[in-house]
Amino acid sequence: GSGGAEGREIPSGEAEAEEFACPAHCTELSWRQNEQRRLGLFCDITLAFGGSAGPGSAPASAPAQPLREFRAHRSVLAAATEYFTPLLSGGFAESRSDRVELRKWSSEGGPDPETVEAVIGFMYTGAIRVSPGNVHEVLELADRFLLTRLKEFCGEFLKKKLNLSNCVAIHSLAHMYSLNQLALKAADMIRRNFYRVIQDEEFYTLPFHLIRDWLSDLEITVDSEEVLFETVLKWVQRNPDERERYFENLFKLLRLSQMKPTYLTRHVKSERLVSGNETCVKLVSEAVESHALRAENLHSGNLQHST
Amino acid sequence: GSGGAEGREIPSGEAEAEEFACPAHCTELSWRQNEQRRLGLFCDITLAFGGSAGPGSAPASAPAQPLREFRAHRSVLAAATEYFTPLLSGGFAESRSDRVELRKWSSEGGPDPETVEAVIGFMYTGAIRVSPGNVHEVLELADRFLLTRLKEFCGEFLKKKLNLSNCVAIHSLAHMYSLNQLALKAADMIRRNFYRVIQDEEFYTLPFHLIRDWLSDLEITVDSEEVLFETVLKWVQRNPDERERYFENLFKLLRLSQMKPTYLTRHVKSERLVSGNETCVKLVSEAVESHALRAENLHSGNLQHST
């Protein structure tokens, strides 16, 4: 060229390259691929969601649950989560067939189809509407599909919704899905309000290991130790066939020495689960004895003082 | 539940739903799909780029150019640009086959494979590196594939790189791809520096319609009208077979009355392209005549004044 600068820099090849990045393009791309999915365009895989007919259940006795099917793109699923990467590209049967069956969910018939649709939509677009009504299933799906960010969002969502009527359920969920911060916050609320929490039916749906943890917790607030005995009884009675075997373990956690002697002799000792268990009977006797000894000491002490 | 508020709001169902949007998810999705493309994972379409063997050229006489092939995902391409939507999902032959041939490019063998790779990458990720070396082909590809944002970026990029040695080429590009702002800015630079621009060989590669536009432009800056005559001559002589038929049209745009009589009679009149054209000869005669008449008026006027 004839050249000339006109007071500005002259281009000098690759040194003047520029990066152009357009995040809006990614977002639009995602939403359009999601739209294609809804229309069934270019889909190459079917996700089939259904009840818990795992390999363990006999196909003859348990009638096959109808599976809910969702068409999708392997490419998007594999890009959205590592859950699908090996499943779709590796040596699994699913990578050759065009169908993945997803069973074994917390609810009998598998997650609600609307929630599944929303979570698949999240895999495509990174956006989802979470409500108190769907957050449990969203969390279950997010956990299964390794959608870490969505799991964390559910944790934050539940943290904001935490109150006395749901803290037991939320603590249990948080435990199940390793949402540690949420678990800590829910546990703190439970501890500080234990006397109210145990009036709630939800508490009696907890598994043994959580009931054991709560009775071992030194910071739970209750009016009296007697209340805890009744709580243990009530928990066992909700499902005696399953839970009676845990009674001794839980009973050992009670601080019998803090119960009144009349309560021990009239209510605890006469309870069938106690009287039928050698260890429990012995613990009650020891508590009653220590009460008696303490009373005697106290009495003689008082006498000594008054002389 | 047993309820209780503890000084905070109580959840009330769907009213407390929350939107979760994670733009980083979209970006990551895009980059992972692009990575799949590079690895050939889940690809279901081939884009074949090649020379200009369009339907008009005889397959026997013109040897088939080797096509450069790029594997991709229909879903992404169709989501990235409307260019592919009908092509891949409609009734075209391409929507049934797994191959799209892309021919007819400005350069003989089609665009540089590295640039094609970069533009396909942009379709996937919304990101690209544009340099003075690839911007012309990026622009051509962006225009063909209806990537509006990328086209606009190229326009902005070229606007910043505009200088005297490239303004003619950039103006011509801007015209071709309807980058109006860029065209205006380049035109302005050309106008203000026309006397230098016409010393550049690039100017003589312009098509007739642009040369016509420039000669019609009232704001071009030149030292003399004579220079414009030489510019027209030079432009025609670069490709006489194609351009001689435009000579008369361009010659009519020259302001012969502003050329010196000696120049008109010695150089213009004797030029073969002028003397061989009746209209041109007539225009030169008229200009010489008007010069003579003016000189006479001027002379008599001077005489009148001096008496």
Side-chain angles (χ1 to χ4, degrees), chain A residues 1 102 167 275:
Chain A
L102 299 149
C167 59
S275 61

Side-chain angles (χ1 to χ4, degrees), chain B residues 3 20-21 37 39 52 88 104 106-107 109 135 152 156 172 187 197-198 224 228-229 232-233 261 264 272 278 284 307:
Chain B
F20 175 48
R37 179 180 67 78
L39 299 170
S52 51
L88 298 180
K104 291 193 180 169
S106 63
S107 68
V135 63
E152 280 165 12
E156 288 302 312
S172 162
V197 163
I198 54 177
S224 67
L228 291 183
F229 173 69
V232 170
L233 268 192
L264 281 172
R272 181 186 59 81
E278 216 175 306
V284 175
T307 40

